Amino acid sequence: MFVLFTSAMSVTRDIDQETQIVALLATADPDAFETVYRRYNGSMLRLCGSIVKNHATAEEIAQDTWVAVLTNISKFEGRSSLAGWIYSILVNKSRTRLKRDGRSISFDEHGDDGGLQAAFDGKGRWKNLPELWDELTPERIVAGRAVVAHIADAIETLPTAQRAVLILRSQKDLDPIEVCEILDITEGNMRVLLHRARLAMRKTLDDLQRP
């Protein structure tokens, strides 16, 4: 009961904080904008870059997205999270840019799902967790930084759809329904994409742990 109560309080706090930030953004408060910008801009660039395949274009679209956010923040009704709303604007602008350039993108991904059932249980959790270092030493701290760099590089090589779902669902912890709405995919497709991305990250970790 205590855990559930604490969890509910945490959710309420998050909602209250978001409401306050939205209200401050509507008054063009610079501190509120800096807070939101620092929280989301990096992942916005990664997501947009994976869609348009050009860093300079991704920066341009991200800037346009921020302008749209500040211009339309008074119209934000809270039907989704603020993050979900921002990423929806970003993805829509990315799609529009691709269309203007004579390109298109679909986040649907089909094919053999071999390995997914063996790796995850019915709730999407690992059946066998990756091996973890059991001791924390200076050498392993340094090695851990290298592992983070390898994981970041591995994320960059993921197919666009897998990378998008991993960023939105795992890194930014958006609700599954929001992720599906942003990318215009089914929940089943989202789970497959997320599992495939996690399998790729697991393989990267396993490869690094081999002698």
Side-chain angles (χ1 to χ4, degrees), residues 126 128-135 140 143-144 146-148 150-151 198-211:
W126 289 110
N128 297 301
L129 292 174
E131 292 182 9
L132 300 177
W133 290 326
D134 54 5
E135 295 180 11
R140 285 183 173 175
V147 168
V148 171
H150 281 291
I151 291 294
R198 287 174 172 171
L199 281 175
M201 297 303 99
R202 172 67 174 266
K203 183 178 184 303
T204 296
L205 285 173
D206 289 344
D207 290 345
L208 289 174
Q209 289 172 352
R210 291 193 181 100

Side-chain angles (χ1 to χ4, degrees), residues 23-154:
L24 290 171
L25 287 175
T27 66
D29 183 88
D31 291 334
F33 175 72
E34 182 177 1
T35 296
V36 176
Y37 182 88
R38 289 181 179 275
R39 184 177 299 170
Y40 299 119
N41 194 63
S43 56
M44 287 168 63
L45 288 174
R46 291 193 297 275
L47 176 57
C48 188
S50 71
I51 297 173
V52 300
K53 308 298 183 183
N54 182 283
H55 183 71
T57 302
E59 287 185 329
E60 180 184 333
I61 293 173
Q63 290 174 4
D64 289 345
T65 298
W66 284 120
V67 171
V69 167
L70 293 177
T71 302
N72 297 289
I73 190 65
S74 61
K75 301 176 183 178
F76 176 69
E77 299 178 347
R79 295 178 181 176
S80 66
S81 66
L82 178 61
W85 185 63
I86 292 173
Y87 287 117
S88 291
I89 295 173
L90 178 77
V91 171
N92 286 334
K93 286 187 174 295
S94 300
R95 289 183 187 273
T96 299
R97 181 58 176 265
L98 288 178
K99 185 176 181 180
R100 193 184 81 182
D101 294 343
R103 296 184 289 159
S104 63
I105 186 172
S106 172
F107 292 100
D108 285 317
E109 185 175 298
H110 305 285
D112 182 16
D113 294 340
L116 297 183
Q117 296 298 325
F120 301 98
D121 64 17
K123 297 182 179 180
R125 295 185 294 243
W126 289 110
K127 289 183 179 178
N128 297 301
L129 292 174
E131 292 182 9
L132 300 177
W133 290 326
D134 54 5
E135 295 180 11
L136 191 62
T137 65
E139 292 78 12
R140 285 183 173 175
I141 291 175
V142 173
R145 292 171 182 162
V147 168
V148 171
H150 281 291
I151 291 294
D153 290 342

Side-chain angles (χ1 to χ4, degrees), residues 145-189:
R145 292 171 182 162
V147 168
V148 171
H150 281 291
I151 291 294
D153 290 342
I155 292 174
E156 294 295 318
T157 66
L158 288 173
T160 299
Q162 293 180 26
R163 185 179 176 188
V165 170
L166 186 67
I167 290 173
L168 295 175
R169 184 72 185 103
S170 291
Q171 294 187 342
K172 305 313 295 184
D173 198 27
L174 289 189
D175 186 90
I177 295 177
E178 286 187 300
V179 175
C180 293
E181 290 178 350
I182 291 170
L183 302 180
D184 191 23
I185 57 178
T186 66
E187 188 169 351
N189 192 197

